Every structure is written in C-alpha cells, then in structure tokens.
Amino acid sequence: AGLAQGRIPTPTVCSPPSRTMADKPKIDPFEVAQAWRELEGQWQDDYRGISIEGTAEAPRVRFTHSQFRPISQLSVTDVVFHPSTRSISFTVTFPPDASNDTGRAQWHLHADGRVKFNVNGKEAETTMGRPSPRVPRVPSFSGYAMMTQLASKAVGLHHDVPPYAGGDWCLPVLHTEARIRLSPEYIAATSVHFNQGRAPPEAICEQAEQQALEQHGIPATPEWIQAYRFAARMLTKEERSEVFFLKANDKLFRPGVDLPGRAVAGAACRVTDGAAVDMAEVLATMPRAVLVASTGT
C-alpha cells in the first residue's frame, strides 16, 4: 500500500555497486542511457517489490517488501546491467530453508517486466510491473477548461500544485514519448495540420502517450494517463528539460503572466505567405486584437 501511494519503505539491505556494466563498448551511449531509464525505479508483483537505483555504470538493487521473507534477510549482489538486452541481472542470498536449501536465487529482469529466476537449478518466469502512483485531486482553475487541466503536461496551468513525491517514475516513459513524437510517422500526421495553420487533433498526442505507456508495460487506462500527465508536471525543471516538448512548454507557455501594460513584440510568421513580420507592427494596425498563443502551433 505504501508503494501505491508513492511512499517508499525504508530499505534494510542495499546491494553493493555492481562489478561491471555488461557489453559496455558495444552500444551507443544514448541507447545505454535510454535502457537504464527504462529499468531504473520501482518494480513489484503480488508478492514482493524491488528498487533499481544508482547509475548505469554502478547499479544497485534492493528489496522494498516481500511476503516470503523479511527484507533484512535478503542480500543482493553481483548486479549487472545489460544495456543491449535492456535488462539487469543479480543474485539474491538469504538463510537456507525448506524451499531453498542453497539460500541463493539468480534474477534477470527485463525492461518489459519479464523476470527469469534460477532457484536450485530450476528456472521459472514471472512478470513485474510499476507500482501505481497516487494521483492527488487536481484543484480547480477559474478561466481554464477542465479538459485542458487534465490533458496538459504544461506547468503553466498548475503552478500552485504542491510537489509530487516519486514523480520521476514517468521519466523513462517521457523519453519514449519524445522518440515517438520525433518519428517520421508522427511528424507526417501532425505536419498536415500545422501546414494548414491549425493544431493537430488531440487524439494524435494521446496516441503517443498511450504507445509510450504500453511500451513500458503500463496499461494505457484513463487513470494511468492522468497519473502520467500529473507526474510529468511535478518533475523538476532540470528533469523536464531533458524532454524537448516539456522544455518548450516551460520556456514558452506562461498563461498566468500579467500582460496589461506590457508590449507584445518579436518575430512571427505570416500565415498567408510565410513571410517574417514584427508582432508590434502587426498589432499597431489593429484597434483591438485577440491574440491566441500555443506551443503546439
């Protein structure tokens, strides 16, 4: 229950740094970082939970809870990160008993949640997933549609919401969503609308979110999508800057800025012919104007 509410139980035993990162010279550094993000963090099934911590070069694994043994009896060693297969392997040792007379078990966890065990020479498989985060109630913001509040990852609409502990679970998913948004298929689907001077349908962005969640073994249910968006808004500015579309939102999307008495200036693109124009000159020709700005367009 503590995990589901974003509270991590105090660890009793942590593993020492791993002896190495497997196949280090054989994979691009960007892929190494991406593979690590997909594994790092909390994992659990119906019986136990683990936390993958540290760095790609020095990973650590600890148990957060177990229905089989006190976690104080579980020691994790020989932790090896395998970036080419997006997996991590380690050895768990504990006092021998009737179910395991050797007191050892080898684990191999993949980023898609598959887990292979070797216990007493016998292999078994199971699956683990990410713990469900607690999603606090989103407060009401007068003047903004509720749909916009829930759908947006922009912090500009949610600057009064307190920090969300444990929100970094969404970082690997955000990096996957960023790759999807940079794919030729996504660009082709959205550019049709951009070229006609309008924002693409919301369904295109939602599909990218759903695909990213599913690639990390997280069900793309409305509850999980809402939790994902909320966690993205609660990341630190430094963490959000790693993701290009969040960085753009943080830099450009500030609907709460007090505009009366301030001049709107800067270069803009004229829709009719694509020519560069100065916003101050354009607005000077109009007695009244409604300016609609969006980082999406």
Side-chain angles (χ1 to χ4, degrees):
L3 281 175
Q5 296 179 3
R7 298 193 299 272
I8 309 302
T10 303
T12 306
V13 178
C14 283
S15 65
S18 67
R19 49 188 165 88
T20 186
M21 178 176 71
D23 49 32
K24 185 175 180 180
K26 302 177 184 178
I27 188 169
D28 180 84
F30 176 83
E31 291 296 324
V32 171
Q34 177 61 29
W36 174 249
R37 290 191 187 100
E38 293 177 5
L39 285 164
E40 185 181 22
Q42 306 293 315
W43 294 86
Q44 70 177 29
D45 59 16
D46 292 337
Y47 308 104
R48 72 218 120 194
I50 64 172
S51 178
I52 298 176
E53 304 167 349
T55 65
E57 292 73 20
R60 300 189 305 273
V61 177
R62 65 180 174 88
F63 278 81
T64 57
H65 66 279
S66 173
Q67 292 188 16
F68 300 113
R69 297 174 179 84
I71 61 173
S72 59
Q73 296 181 358
L74 300 173
S75 178
V76 183
T77 58
D78 300 326
V79 184
V80 181
F81 169 48
H82 308 270
S84 63
T85 58
R86 282 173 156 70
S87 63
I88 192 167
S89 60
F90 52 92
T91 299
V92 184
T93 57
F94 42 85
D97 55 23
S99 63
N100 189 323
D101 55 10
T102 65
R104 292 173 62 86
Q106 278 76 41
W107 283 53
H108 200 142
L109 168 66
H110 293 261
D112 61 3
R114 290 179 295 118
V115 184
K116 293 185 178 181
F117 302 99
N118 190 308
V119 181
N120 289 339
K122 297 180 179 179
E123 292 191 350
E125 292 189 15
T126 188
T127 57
M128 301 187 84
R130 299 292 193 175
S132 177
R134 177 179 62 88
V135 184
R137 178 182 176 271
V138 178
S140 175
F141 291 81
S142 61
Y144 298 117
M146 179 61 70
M147 178 184 69
T148 305
Q149 293 180 29
L150 296 179
S152 176
K153 298 187 187 71
V155 295
L157 294 177
H158 306 270
H159 53 86
D160 292 330
V161 181
Y164 173 51
D168 57 355
W169 66 268
C170 68
L171 265 176
V173 187
L174 285 167
H175 284 281
T176 298
E177 184 182 345
R179 288 206 313 272
I180 294 173
R181 287 174 177 263
L182 292 173
S183 66
E185 295 80 9
Y186 183 90
I187 292 175
T190 55
S191 62
V192 172
H193 303 278
F194 288 141
N195 292 340
Q196 295 176 359
R198 62 172 186 264
E202 188 176 349
I204 298 179
C205 298
E206 291 179 343
Q207 186 177 22
E209 291 178 315
Q210 294 166 1
Q211 291 175 356
L213 286 167
E214 290 170 351
Q215 287 185 29
H216 288 267
I218 300 174
T221 62
E223 294 78 15
W224 265 109
I225 292 173
Q226 182 183 346
Y228 172 51
R229 292 166 176 169
F230 187 91
R233 294 194 299 269
M234 296 299 103
L235 293 173
T236 65
K237 184 178 180 180
E238 291 72 23
E239 289 171 325
R240 288 172 62 86
S241 68
E242 299 178 16
V243 184
F244 76 90
F245 58 90
L246 298 185
K247 183 177 181 179
N249 265 305
D250 293 348
K251 183 178 180 180
L252 304 172
F253 187 53
R254 285 292 179 268
V257 172
D258 188 17
L259 291 178
R262 303 177 67 174
V264 179
C269 177
R270 190 160 54 202
V271 176
T272 54
D273 57 7
V277 294
D278 183 84
M279 280 297 299
E281 294 180 2
V282 172
L283 293 175
T285 64
M286 304 177 182
R288 299 183 67 182
V290 176
L291 181 63
V292 180
S294 169
T295 55
T297 56

